[in-house]
């Protein structure tokens, strides 16, 4: 009961005078004590606490979680985009032969020291790390800004081991990695996350764009942006809508969870036409920005329906540097709708979408129909660019990386233009030859469906009747690696091209390269060039209900 008394004394009981709460706290404490003392094997109190906490939130939403001190550190990095280190992502080689540099961030200590993609870690501060995991090496590289770390790496270009002494710095991963003109007067900004400071980044990019040309249309790319800071979202909206515009409200059970957010500054692009790009991974703060632009008829949404995360999390300290991240409210955009897609109210409904009967109609400022309960529906739907499972598998297996390590050694003086670069036919033939002895455990969905049909036909005794037809389909359907390298050549080439651009011109170069043939960006440009169609959408067009 001492723990129960401590809870009461701390004032936490004021939330609800509930005998059941105190009773169950006492039961949990007694259970932990008995397990720790009497279980046949020795148990860790920390492990019991972690497992107990995980069980407590298991039937809630997936965003509510107990966080230890180490987990809180990672959470803070995701929220702020800042950490102390050398400024590089790393990864384990496919064959588990070591950990290599996956990407040095532009202008960071790793970049200034000359580390390159593919450089393999050999020693860190005199310790052999050739058998370490990527998590272990990441931990060794991070540290207090201003401290130094000694590295020995095997260089991808020469195969020789070189030593470096690098001073750690405060690393800020850009939330807005690229901005540029895609056509005369039409600018494009890629926004990857809502970490602290992303408003300042976007504002600086917009000012630079305005200084370098006449900005007559703006594309904001929020595809695959999983969200982040609500405050940053509100500040970004302040650049596009009038000062004092209410853009989002929070509503929860307690008074402190209820809040309205309005823009606090005059817009810098109050009249410039805007197209925002969304897809199924656009969530949370990105849905606040895009949803407000849609509800206020300030911009047109292009792409696919967004994820539908209308829940707000807060972080509460517990004790001993542990924390509880819990959902405290839902957010509502200017029309009054909440975009939350999944109903977590009951444990049995964890994966249950809001039913059609509960989806409610709302109106935008111009009176267009929009709906809650299922993310944001785009005003102009565009199917995503296709990338084959086969191509993704080649990349995930590390074959693209291995081939390009050899490619950069053969082409040390290569200059890469982000917008126009493409490997030659001869180089693709080299890649096909490189893949000759590589194992790719790939079967197309059509092949899997055919195998299932054969099994079902045999079980139902149709196999002899359909034997000729099934064999004909089987002969036409080829899953051989060489055939797939031909069938999916465009997708595989794009993976090769992107990785080469990344090695020469960083992530921002990859963004610039990829938007050239991006069908959704092309549709956005066409829409911004067609002022009449753009205005008609904002004045008349309703969105799809589901």
């Amino acid at each position: 009961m001492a723990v129960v008394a401590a809870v009461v004394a701390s004032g936490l009981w004021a939330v609800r005078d509930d005998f059941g709460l105190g009773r169950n706290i006492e039961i949990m404490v007694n259970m932990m004590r008995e397990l720790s003392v009497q279980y046949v094997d020795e148990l860790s109190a920390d492990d019991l606490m972690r497992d107990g906490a995980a069980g407590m939130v298991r039937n809630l939403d997936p965003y509510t979680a107990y966080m230890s001190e180490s987990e809180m550190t990672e959470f803070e990095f995701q929220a702020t985009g800042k950490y102390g280190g050398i400024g590089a992502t790393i990864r384990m080689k496919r064959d588990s032969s070591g950990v290599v540099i996956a990407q040095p961030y532009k202008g960071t200590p790793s970049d200034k020291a000359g580390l390159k993609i593919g450089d393999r870690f050999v020693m860190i501060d005199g310790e052999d790390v050739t058998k370490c995991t990527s998590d272990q090496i990441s931990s060794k590289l991070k540290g207090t800004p201003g401290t130094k770390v000694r590295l020995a790496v095997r260089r991808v270009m020469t195969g020789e081991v070189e030593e470096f002494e690098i001073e750690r710095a405060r690393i800020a991963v850009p939330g807005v990695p690229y901005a540029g003109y895609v056509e005369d007067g039409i600018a494009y900004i890629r926004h990857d996350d809502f970490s602290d400071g992303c408003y300042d980044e976007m504002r600086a990019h917009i000012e630079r764009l305005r200084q370098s040309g006449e900005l007559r249309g703006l594309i904001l790319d929020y595809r695959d942006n999983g969200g982040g800071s609500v405050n940053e979202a509100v500040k970004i909206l302040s650049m596009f809508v009038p000062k004092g515009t209410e853009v989002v409200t929070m509503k929860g059970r307690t008074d402190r969870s209820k809040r309205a957010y309005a823009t606090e500054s005059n817009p810098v692009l109050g009249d410039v036409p805007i197209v925002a790009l969304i897809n199924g991974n656009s969530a949370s703060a990105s849905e606040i920005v895009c949803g407000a632009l849609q509800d206020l008829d300030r911009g047109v949404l292009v792409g696919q329906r967004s994820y539908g995360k209308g829940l707000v999390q807060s972080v509460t300290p517990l004790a001993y540097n542990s924390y509880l991240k819990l959902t405290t409210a839902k957010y509502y955009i200017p029309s009054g709708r909440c975009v939350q897609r999944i109903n977590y109210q009951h444990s049995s409904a964890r994966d249950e979408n809001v039913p059609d009967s509960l989806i409610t109609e709302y109106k935008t400022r111009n009176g267009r129909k929009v709906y809650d309960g299922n993310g944001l529906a785009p005003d102009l739907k565009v199917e995503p660019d296709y990338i084959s499972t086969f191509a993704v598998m080649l990349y995930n297996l590390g074959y693209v990386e291995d081939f390009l390590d050899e490619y950069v050694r053969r082409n040390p003086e290569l200059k890469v233009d982000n917008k126009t670069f493409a490997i030659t036919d001869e180089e693709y033939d080299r890649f096909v030859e490189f893949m000759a002895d590589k194992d790719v455990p790939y079967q197309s969905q059509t092949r899997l469906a055919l195998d299932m049909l054969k099994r079902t036909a045999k079980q139902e005794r149709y196999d002899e009747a359909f034997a000729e037809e099934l064999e004909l389909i089987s002969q036409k359907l080829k899953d051989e690696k060489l055939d797939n390298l031909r069938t999916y050549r465009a997708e595989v080439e794009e993976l090769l091209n992107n990785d080469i651009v990344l090695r020469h011109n960083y992530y921002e170069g990859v963004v610039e390269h990829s938007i050239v043939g991006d069908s959704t960006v092309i549709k956005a440009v066409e829409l911004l060039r067609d002022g009449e169609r753009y205005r008609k959408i904002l004045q008349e067009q309703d969105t799809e209900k589901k």
Side-chain angles (χ1 to χ4, degrees):
M1 287 298 292
V3 173
V4 179
V7 172
V8 174
S10 70
L12 294 179
W13 209 278
V15 174
R16 189 178 177 191
D17 185 14
D18 189 342
F19 171 75
L21 179 62
R23 180 190 65 212
N24 286 298
I25 288 175
E26 184 175 2
I27 291 171
M28 178 174 288
V29 171
N30 290 336
M31 183 176 176
M32 286 187 67
R33 182 177 63 244
E34 295 303 319
L35 286 169
S36 298
V37 173
Q38 299 199 52
Y39 187 71
V40 63
D41 296 319
E42 186 174 348
L43 299 176
S44 163
D46 289 341
D47 290 345
L48 285 174
M49 178 61 216
R50 185 186 64 247
D51 293 343
M56 237 186 296
V57 301
R58 184 180 61 233
N59 290 329
L60 305 179
D61 65 82
Y63 313 109
T64 297
Y66 167 78
M67 294 190 298
S68 64
E69 184 175 6
S70 60
E71 291 167 327
M72 185 62 187
T73 300
E74 179 62 24
F75 175 77
E76 288 177 337
F77 164 64
Q78 292 175 356
T80 64
K82 300 179 177 67
Y83 68 97
I86 67 170
T89 57
I90 61 176
R91 64 168 169 247
M92 175 69 74
K93 289 285 288 183
R94 168 185 53 83
D95 56 3
S96 300
S97 60
V99 176
V100 298
I101 296 286
Q103 178 188 352
Y105 296 125
K106 185 177 181 179
T108 63
S110 65
D111 184 37
K112 292 176 181 177
L115 295 180
K116 300 294 184 184
I117 294 174
D119 287 346
R120 190 175 317 211
F121 292 95
V122 176
M123 301 186 78
I124 298 178
D125 287 332
E127 178 186 352
D128 186 333
V129 295
T130 54
K131 303 299 183 182
C132 287
T133 66
S134 55
D135 285 343
Q136 290 170 330
I137 288 183
S138 177
S139 179
K140 295 176 187 297
L141 294 176
K142 291 178 181 178
T144 304
T147 60
K148 294 182 179 180
V149 59
R150 291 181 292 110
L151 305 179
V153 301
R154 188 171 301 279
R155 305 307 300 270
V156 66
M157 294 296 291
T158 65
E160 301 295 325
V161 174
E162 293 185 27
E163 296 185 358
F164 300 85
E165 184 175 73
I166 300 177
E167 184 174 307
R168 297 182 179 95
R170 185 69 165 167
I171 306 300
V173 180
V176 186
Y178 177 80
Y181 280 99
V182 291
E183 192 172 293
D184 185 33
I186 298 177
Y188 167 95
I189 296 178
R190 176 68 169 265
H191 189 177
D192 281 348
D193 63 57
F194 284 84
S195 53
D196 291 348
C198 67
Y199 160 76
D200 295 324
E201 293 179 47
M202 183 174 286
R203 178 69 183 261
H205 280 304
I206 287 175
E207 293 301 332
R208 178 178 56 79
L209 289 167
R210 294 172 72 187
Q211 292 172 8
S212 61
E214 183 183 2
L215 185 54
R216 300 192 302 273
L218 177 62
I219 301 170
L220 299 174
D221 194 343
Y222 285 103
R223 292 173 297 177
D224 301 317
N225 183 321
S229 168
V230 173
N231 289 320
E232 294 294 317
V234 174
K235 287 194 288 186
I236 285 172
L237 282 166
S238 71
M239 291 189 286
F240 310 122
V241 301
K243 180 179 180 180
T245 302
E246 188 172 290
V247 291
V248 64
T249 58
M250 311 291 186
K251 298 177 185 178
R253 288 176 58 199
T254 65
D255 289 339
R256 66 179 180 178
S257 66
K258 298 174 182 177
R259 183 176 176 184
Y261 294 80
T263 55
E264 297 181 353
S265 59
N266 292 318
V268 294
L269 295 178
D271 299 318
V272 172
I274 295 173
V275 168
L277 311 185
I278 58 173
N279 66 6
N281 294 320
S282 305
S284 188
S286 62
E287 290 177 298
I288 290 175
V289 170
C290 296
L293 292 174
Q294 186 178 55
D295 282 359
L296 297 170
D297 296 306
R298 181 61 188 86
V300 174
L301 304 191
V302 173
Q304 302 90 49
R305 187 178 290 275
S306 67
Y307 180 82
K309 181 179 181 291
L311 305 178
V312 181
Q313 284 71 51
S314 301
V315 177
T316 299
L318 299 175
Y320 301 100
N321 295 321
S322 61
Y323 297 82
L324 176 64
K325 177 168 69 76
L326 72 161
T327 299
T328 55
K330 293 181 179 180
Y331 71 76
Y332 300 82
I333 48 182
S335 66
R337 57 181 170 145
C338 178
V339 301
Q340 178 63 26
R341 175 175 56 90
I342 299 177
N343 177 13
Y344 296 111
Q345 188 172 1
H346 305 291
S347 60
S348 62
R350 174 169 295 277
D351 296 317
E352 178 183 308
N353 289 0
V354 175
D356 291 349
S357 60
L358 296 182
I359 290 179
T360 305
E361 177 186 305
Y362 292 83
K363 295 292 181 65
T364 70
R365 180 167 288 180
N366 289 339
R368 298 188 297 138
K369 295 177 183 178
V370 289
Y371 300 90
D372 67 356
N374 196 14
L376 300 169
D379 300 299
L380 177 60
K381 187 176 180 180
V382 179
E383 292 300 321
D385 291 329
Y386 173 76
I387 181 167
S388 69
T389 304
F390 176 77
V392 173
M393 184 171 286
L394 292 186
Y395 189 84
N396 290 339
L397 289 170
Y399 294 136
V400 169
E401 175 190 358
D402 291 346
F403 174 76
L404 292 181
D405 285 348
E406 188 268 335
Y407 175 88
V408 295
R409 286 191 287 268
R410 286 189 288 106
N411 299 277
E413 304 300 323
L414 180 69
K415 303 298 181 183
V416 172
D417 181 277
N418 296 334
K419 293 184 177 181
T420 62
F421 178 78
I423 63 169
T424 63
D425 292 341
E426 290 77 14
E427 284 297 344
Y428 192 77
D429 290 341
R430 280 179 183 263
F431 180 70
V432 172
E433 183 179 346
F434 168 82
M435 288 297 303
D437 61 348
K438 305 298 187 296
D439 181 39
V440 183
Y442 170 79
Q443 278 191 308
S444 68
Q445 292 299 312
T446 308
R447 168 66 70 181
L448 293 173
L450 178 61
D451 290 344
M452 180 176 292
L453 179 60
K454 286 181 177 179
R455 290 194 298 270
T456 304
K458 185 174 182 179
Q459 292 169 359
E460 298 181 351
R461 300 182 181 179
Y462 287 115
D463 51 328
E464 292 185 6
F466 294 158
E468 186 176 341
E469 290 84 352
L470 291 175
E471 181 59 27
L472 182 61
I473 296 173
S474 184
Q475 290 177 2
K476 290 185 176 180
L477 180 64
K478 297 180 179 180
D479 280 336
E480 286 79 9
K481 181 172 54 185
L482 181 59
D483 291 307
N484 286 327
L485 286 168
R486 292 179 181 138
T487 301
Y488 304 118
R489 173 170 176 165
E491 291 94 333
V492 176
E493 277 191 338
E494 189 60 13
L495 289 176
L496 292 166
N497 291 335
N498 281 336
D499 206 307
I500 294 170
V501 172
L502 177 66
R503 290 170 184 250
H504 288 79
N505 296 327
Y506 308 96
Y507 176 58
E508 63 186 63
V510 176
V511 176
E512 186 173 31
H513 174 80
S514 63
I515 62 178
V516 173
D518 189 318
S519 62
T520 306
V521 174
I522 292 170
K523 290 291 185 182
V525 171
E526 292 173 353
L527 180 59
L528 287 170
R529 286 185 353 209
D530 189 345
E532 183 177 351
R533 185 185 181 200
Y534 177 89
R535 287 187 293 272
K536 187 173 182 179
I537 288 175
L538 294 181
Q539 291 294 330
E540 303 176 10
Q541 183 173 300
D542 300 331
T543 64
E544 292 182 351
K545 185 174 182 179
K546 64 176 184 177

